[in-house]
């Protein structure tokens, strides 16, 4: 659930109409990502869930981060 929310927030960040919305959605994504990682770390599966969530969320986070950097740089 937290991982899905994080991924969705990062997608919404890229699609946001204004810089303020882009920053807010990215911040939401970071908050949800932290929760997802904390909960996944408690699974007793040798870290498999943690790695899977990290990889899946990062696939959305990386492009959102780049888009946010461009927005803040005025490009």
């Amino acid at each position: 659930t937290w991982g899905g929310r994080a991924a969705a927030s990062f997608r919404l960040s890229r699609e946001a109409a204004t810089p303020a919305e882009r920053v807010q959605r990215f911040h939401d994504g970071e908050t949800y990502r932290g929760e997802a990682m904390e909960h996944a770390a408690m699974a007793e599966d040798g870290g498999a869930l943690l790695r899977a969530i990290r990889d899946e969320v990062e696939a959305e986070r990386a492009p959102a981060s780049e888009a946010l950097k461009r927005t803040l740089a005025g490009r």
Side-chain angles (χ1 to χ4, degrees):
T1 301
W2 294 110
R5 289 176 182 165
S9 293
F10 290 132
R11 274 192 303 277
L12 290 172
S13 175
R14 289 194 323 266
E15 299 167 1
T18 68
E21 289 175 29
R22 184 167 281 180
V23 169
Q24 182 60 52
R25 296 294 78 81
F26 191 87
H27 179 268
D28 293 344
E30 288 291 273
T31 300
Y32 293 138
R33 183 176 71 90
E35 289 295 329
M37 301 299 274
E38 285 180 27
H39 287 242
M42 291 187 287
E44 296 179 5
D45 63 356
L49 181 60
L50 184 62
R51 287 188 298 276
I53 289 175
R54 182 196 61 218
D55 294 347
E56 290 178 26
V57 171
E58 187 59 30
E60 295 292 342
R61 184 181 181 275
S65 178
E66 287 304 313
L68 182 59
K69 287 176 188 174
R70 285 192 303 274
T71 295
L72 297 176
R75 293 185 250 147

